[in-house]
Amino acid sequence: MADRGTLEKVVAEFYDARGRRDLEKSMSFFDENCYFRIVGTDNLVPFTQPTGTRAELAEIARQLFDNWDLRDLETVKMYVDGNVAFVHRAGNVEHRRGTRFHTEMMDKLTLKRGKIVEYLQFLDTYQIAKVAGFGA
């Protein structure tokens, strides 16, 4: 298990790469067998369906990066328990259609051997589905 400082550094560097929409760098933080999903409504499929590999996650990430600008999100607080980080983030996000709004989210990231093996994202899926035109 990584020490708290290492875990916090990995998570901060991941969010930095994510904010810059650097897909290659973002994916470098994930284990080959990683689990990701946005927890919420089936209106957001495929994002709310679990992934099991880095290749599956890369396809989801590419779609998210193409459509969402999260660079103005900031970490409000990070809670660390062993190899798990719970991260409260808040700020403005923008969809490629030009819709910009303030939101908050909570992420649960589990690391093993310095790589993210589980990433659960909790956010207002109704608002996201509505803005993205997923029929909410």
Side-chain angles (χ1 to χ4, degrees), residues 11-27:
V11 171
E13 288 175 356
F14 163 68
Y15 284 134
D16 178 62
R18 172 61 184 101
R20 290 182 283 109
R21 293 195 262 193
D22 183 337
L23 182 61
E24 185 176 335
K25 181 67 174 173
S26 295
M27 294 310 302

Side-chain angles (χ1 to χ4, degrees), residues 55-130:
E56 291 172 345
L57 176 56
E59 177 55 28
I60 296 294
R62 186 193 57 73
Q63 292 176 48
L64 291 170
F65 286 21
D66 286 350
N67 289 289
W68 292 97
D69 182 347
L70 306 182
R71 79 179 119 193
D72 290 338
L73 281 176
E74 294 184 6
T75 297
V76 175
K77 182 74 176 172
M78 185 183 312
Y79 304 89
V80 175
D81 184 13
N83 65 333
V84 179
F86 298 92
V87 186
H88 176 201
R89 298 183 38 104
N92 292 316
V93 300
E94 185 171 345
H95 189 267
R96 68 176 171 83
R97 295 179 178 170
T99 304
R100 186 171 173 81
F101 57 94
H102 186 271
T103 193
E104 295 186 44
M105 60 183 64
M106 180 68 86
D107 293 342
K108 176 188 177 218
L109 298 109
T110 304
L111 279 74
K112 288 186 181 168
R113 299 171 306 282
K115 298 286 186 179
I116 301 168
V117 295
E118 179 187 55
Y119 179 14
L120 297 177
Q121 192 166 63
F122 301 86
L123 45 84
D124 184 347
T125 55
Y126 177 78
Q127 183 178 31
I128 299 301
K130 186 176 176 183

